[in-house]
Amino acid sequence: AQSKPEDLIHLRQGGFQLLARNVGALNSIAKGDVPFNKETATNTAEFVSLLVPQIWAGFGAGSDKGAPTRANAKIWSDDAGFKAAQEKLLVITRKLPAAAGDANSLKAALADIGGACKNCHDNYRDSS
Ligand code: ASC
């Protein structure tokens, strides 16, 4: 069944909020604001790795219409470029649960995630 545009928009916007919260939690762990706990870090990383593909599904057909959002029209006109930007985050987050087992490798993975977030925002998200 095909989702309505507004449902896809809600899916991706809620998904990005969950992503920001959970990547934020991992950043707090990596910075040492909260003590490193391997199980907590790994569970949070697992959640992130499962969440990201669901978010990308929220940019599906028709979801360029439905409500005004910051999603740039290039997302739908430059499919190959947007898919490549998506893939950067997918590749890193697939490896995140393994990286989260150790504070240093978690830190490195989070730096890569920040880069993928910024790359996509710079190219495919309108400023506010
Ligand atoms: C975050 C967050 C983002 C990214 C981005 C990285 O914590 O919410 O959107 O990092 O700012 O440049």
Side-chain angles (χ1 to χ4, degrees):
Q2 181 144 350
S3 301
K4 293 187 198 125
E6 57 269 33
D7 291 340
L8 291 171
I9 290 167
H10 286 144
L11 186 162
R12 71 188 190 227
Q13 290 182 338
F16 281 127
Q17 288 192 25
L18 283 168
L19 183 64
R21 281 185 80 93
N22 284 275
V23 172
L26 289 172
N27 269 313
S28 297
I29 293 171
K31 278 196 297 180
D33 291 350
V34 299
F36 184 79
N37 177 285
K38 185 172 169 170
E39 194 186 355
T40 304
T42 304
N43 285 345
T44 305
E46 288 280 4
F47 177 74
V48 168
S49 74
L50 295 169
L51 176 63
V52 168
Q54 303 263 341
I55 295 175
W56 293 144
F59 289 94
S63 66
D64 52 335
K65 310 268 172 4
T69 75
R70 283 175 294 171
N72 189 273
K74 262 178 67 190
I75 289 170
W76 293 276
S77 67
D78 171 25
D79 191 57
F82 186 58
K83 286 270 156 58
Q86 290 185 189
E87 192 59 25
K88 282 186 208 290
L89 185 61
L90 285 165
V91 166
I92 304 158
T93 52
R94 267 181 218 126
K95 296 188 227 160
L96 191 61
D102 165 86
N104 285 321
S105 58
L106 175 59
K107 209 175 246 190
L110 288 167
D112 289 345
I113 288 175
C117 295
K118 180 171 164 38
N119 171 61
C120 211
H121 293 168
D122 287 352
N123 292 298
Y124 298 100
R125 187 178 69 169
D126 293 343
S127 48
S128 192

